[in-house]
Amino acid sequence: MVLIKEYRICMPLTVEEYKIGQLYMIARHSLEQSDDGEGVEVIENKECFDPEHGKGQYTEKRIHLSSRLPYWLQAVCPKVFYVIEKGWNYYPYTVTEYTCSFIPKLHIRILTRFEDNAGSSENCLNLPEETLANRIVDHVDIAFEEPSEKHYKKEEDPKFFKSRITGRGPLVEGWRQTDEPMMCSYKLVEASFEVWGLQTRVEDFIQKCIRDVLLLGHRQAFAWIDEWHGMSIDDVRMYEKDKQTEANDKLRQSLPPALATDKPQETT
């Protein structure tokens, strides 16, 4: 059975504010994580359209991460390893899929919806009864859970950070019940790796990695609020474009020639 978890990550923001904060955070985070031939490379970034959700933004990325895998997973992966991420952003609803040409049995699908509440919606993603019965709900606390020591920075810790622009923070015990504004990222993650003998171990590992990224990313989105608050959508798209170019250039300098790609299509 595929491992299904629904992560609920509250933020002291509105959904409308987070529309900008999310784009800023992803672009900056991707650049910071790109080094020594590993990180996020943007292949395509363009507008898209869906009959149900309307106009959105499609992105395709390569996530280079072979040396970050545990030794037992590196044993079944090629030395140069990357995951393909395809995302459809119809904010406040998004779909993200991960695959790998080297490992056809690997598939990850993430459905996301953002709502202005403290994680109280029981089925905002309109999941069928079978999925509801199998999902595991996991509440992620950006203030009182910490990322790995490698990624911890006191200036990005919501327990100590106070925004000079909005006055929000530091976050104290019980903040999800008392602070305003309040929003929640609902993320349903389906991780599938149907290989006998490795399925449970790999699916557990994938979920842990995704949870770690969600915790770090949402902490950073809040801690960086003074950098992005007040930006327009055009401002943040320009910032996104600049950081994508920087990240791609850093990666291309250290990737083998066979893995180098042309510059991504410009954002429209």
Side-chain angles (χ1 to χ4, degrees), residues 13-251:
L13 306 169
T14 67
V15 169
E16 189 62 27
E17 287 175 328
Y18 189 62
K19 184 176 184 178
I20 302 296
Q22 179 196 38
L23 293 172
Y24 178 93
M25 175 270 291
I26 291 173
R28 180 172 166 180
H29 178 86
S30 296
L31 176 62
E32 291 188 355
Q33 296 300 307
S34 297
D35 198 16
D36 296 327
E38 303 216 343
V40 181
E41 179 185 14
V42 179
I43 306 302
E44 193 169 15
N45 188 348
K46 64 181 183 181
E47 287 188 355
C48 61
F49 182 82
D50 179 82
E52 179 181 355
H53 302 291
K55 188 168 70 173
Q57 196 79 11
Y58 169 79
T59 57
E60 182 174 339
K61 303 175 183 178
R62 286 183 182 179
I63 304 172
H64 301 265
L65 42 58
S66 55
S67 71
R68 303 183 190 186
L69 302 176
Y71 74 91
W72 51 267
L73 192 51
Q74 288 186 41
V76 299
C77 294
K79 192 170 184 179
V80 179
F81 175 83
Y82 65 85
V83 170
I84 300 166
E85 177 194 285
K86 295 183 179 181
W88 295 263
N89 186 348
Y90 307 103
Y91 200 88
Y93 176 76
T94 69
V95 179
T96 312
E97 294 183 350
Y98 298 88
T99 57
C100 178
S101 58
F102 302 121
I103 311 175
K105 297 292 186 179
L106 172 66
H107 185 259
I108 303 167
R109 184 168 180 256
I110 303 177
L111 303 179
T112 304
R113 186 173 293 279
F114 306 103
E115 291 193 343
D116 284 311
N117 57 50
S120 56
S121 295
E122 285 309 309
N123 190 17
C124 70
L125 290 163
N126 297 318
L127 305 174
E129 288 299 323
E130 182 180 359
T131 303
L132 288 174
N134 292 324
R135 72 172 177 179
I136 300 169
V137 176
D138 185 347
H139 293 267
V140 180
D141 188 336
I142 66 168
F144 291 89
E145 295 182 45
E146 293 184 356
S148 65
E149 184 178 350
K150 175 183 177 181
H151 293 118
Y152 178 82
K153 296 179 181 179
K154 186 175 181 179
E155 64 269 24
E156 295 177 358
D157 191 332
K159 294 192 303 296
F160 304 108
F161 171 76
K162 182 177 180 64
S163 167
R164 68 179 185 277
I165 292 178
T166 67
R168 298 172 205 171
L171 303 184
V172 300
E173 285 282 2
W175 67 274
R176 288 178 290 183
Q177 287 73 49
T178 60
D179 284 27
E180 291 185 359
M182 186 66 59
M183 62 154 287
C184 183
S185 299
Y186 294 83
K187 291 185 172 287
L188 186 84
V189 179
E190 299 177 336
S192 173
F193 188 74
E194 298 178 2
V195 175
W196 179 257
L198 286 174
Q199 180 173 5
T200 299
R201 196 175 189 183
V202 172
E203 290 180 0
D204 284 342
F205 172 74
I206 290 170
Q207 291 282 359
K208 180 184 182 304
C209 288
I210 291 173
R211 192 186 195 282
D212 290 346
V213 169
L214 293 176
L215 174 61
L216 177 62
H218 284 77
R219 283 166 64 96
Q220 289 176 329
F222 175 56
W224 294 340
I225 188 172
D226 290 342
E227 307 299 323
W228 57 259
H229 199 273
M231 276 187 170
S232 68
I233 190 67
D234 290 338
D235 292 335
V236 78
R237 286 295 184 193
M238 183 59 66
Y239 176 87
E240 178 185 53
K241 180 181 176 182
D242 291 343
K243 296 307 174 186
Q244 287 173 358
T245 300
E246 288 184 54
N248 284 4
D249 288 345
K250 285 177 67 176
L251 276 168

